[in-house]
Amino acid sequence: YLGQKSHSSYDATHRNTLNASMASLRRHYAFVKNADVIVWHEGDLGPRDADALDGAANVRFCLLNKETGWSVPADVDVASLPPMKWSIGYRLMIRFYAVTIWPTLAALGYEWVM
């Protein structure tokens, strides 16, 4: 999961949506007890924000930062970019899921991801 308490583009009450999503995972994924569920965040979420899987899975909260690829590449000058249709946060999310999540998960010891 990629979680945050507030969003720049839409209203998101993430305690409710994150827990609802985790409750659905618990209901529909028979092997959840054998799974690690990772909640990536920017420092604004913790175990009290997502308790729907308490005891049902190993829930890990992992901080998004420069080491996980959650940053603008060093060779990009954000101030010189033309106006963008998508926010920086959205672009970081897409880059994270498409590119930087894989070496990050490998560094955490994961070989399989679902």
Side-chain angles (χ1 to χ4, degrees), residues 8 70 86-94:
S8 62
W70 196 260
W86 308 106
S87 70
I88 291 292
Y90 180 80
R91 294 163 60 112
L92 289 174
M93 177 192 67
I94 296 302

Side-chain angles (χ1 to χ4, degrees), residues 28-75:
H28 300 291
Y29 180 51
F31 300 102
V32 71
K33 68 181 182 300
N34 301 321
D36 288 343
V37 176
I38 301 174
V39 178
W40 300 97
H41 63 93
E42 294 180 285
D44 58 343
L45 290 176
R48 289 180 293 151
D49 296 305
D51 55 13
L53 286 175
D54 282 358
N58 179 30
V59 179
R60 298 177 64 179
F61 287 80
C62 294
L63 187 63
L64 292 164
N65 55 32
K66 189 174 185 175
E67 288 74 33
T68 61
W70 196 260
S71 62
V72 176
D75 61 336

Side-chain angles (χ1 to χ4, degrees), residues 1-2 38 40 64 68-70 92-108 110 113:
Y1 291 95
L2 188 59
I38 301 174
W40 300 97
L64 292 164
T68 61
W70 196 260
L92 289 174
M93 177 192 67
I94 296 302
R95 181 173 177 259
F96 179 71
Y97 279 131
V99 180
T100 63
I101 194 172
W102 310 111
T104 300
L105 289 170
L108 290 172
Y110 291 97
V113 178

